[in-house]
Amino acid sequence: MIFLYGIALLAGIATAMQPGQSTQLAKSLGEPFAAGLVSMLVGTATMLVIGLATGRLHLPSLQQAGAAPWWAWGGGVLGAGVILAQLFVAQRIGAASFLGLLVTAGVVTSITLDHFGLEGFATHPASLARLVGGGLMIAGVALVALF
């Protein structure tokens, strides 16, 4: 289980580094949308290589694809939105403010998703401790963004 927390920490580090890499690519290519497309293509290729190398890449049947909830197909759209935000916002407001807002918005949204058991998550009530934690994150990101 500790291993999973380590992976989550590495993903957090990657999330902090990715906006700088994406915006530098956009500067080099001269076009933010081209950089976003390249980023998504490289990500797709990476998933393909890792899936093939581990033997875990299997194409779903039409029945499996049809069984997915309608809203489950929006993940790619949301991912593109994150990349576009990186390209057009991160350099302007700074890495700390951008990532702070990204993570804080994610945690506050996650408290709601957990509380109501939305999008397939198990129900975890929005306890006072969770709400205070979310509030402290909002206060923390406000301090980072303002100073």
Side-chain angles (χ1 to χ4, degrees), residues 2-120:
I2 291 269
F3 178 70
L4 297 177
Y5 286 96
I7 291 173
L9 287 172
L10 291 174
I13 292 167
T15 300
M17 295 176 64
Q18 188 182 13
Q21 294 173 349
S22 295
T23 54
Q24 288 303 309
L25 184 61
K27 287 179 184 176
S28 296
L29 299 179
E31 171 57 50
F33 282 96
L37 184 58
V38 168
S39 179
M40 293 193 83
L41 289 172
V42 169
T44 300
T46 301
M47 293 290 293
L48 179 63
V49 168
I50 292 171
L52 291 172
T54 61
R56 298 192 60 151
L57 179 64
H58 305 286
L59 294 176
S61 68
L62 289 176
Q63 183 180 8
Q64 289 171 313
W70 66 268
W71 46 264
W73 295 95
V77 175
L78 296 178
V82 170
I83 289 173
L84 289 171
Q86 292 172 0
L87 292 167
F88 289 101
V89 176
Q91 289 285 324
R92 290 187 175 110
I93 67 172
S97 294
F98 181 78
L99 190 62
L101 288 165
L102 187 78
V103 171
T104 300
V107 167
V108 170
T109 301
S110 296
I111 291 170
T112 303
L113 293 173
D114 282 350
H115 181 75
F116 294 105
L118 300 174
E119 294 198 354

Side-chain angles (χ1 to χ4, degrees), residues 120-133:
F121 289 104
T123 302
H124 298 280
S127 66
L128 180 61
R130 283 180 153 219
L131 294 173
V132 168

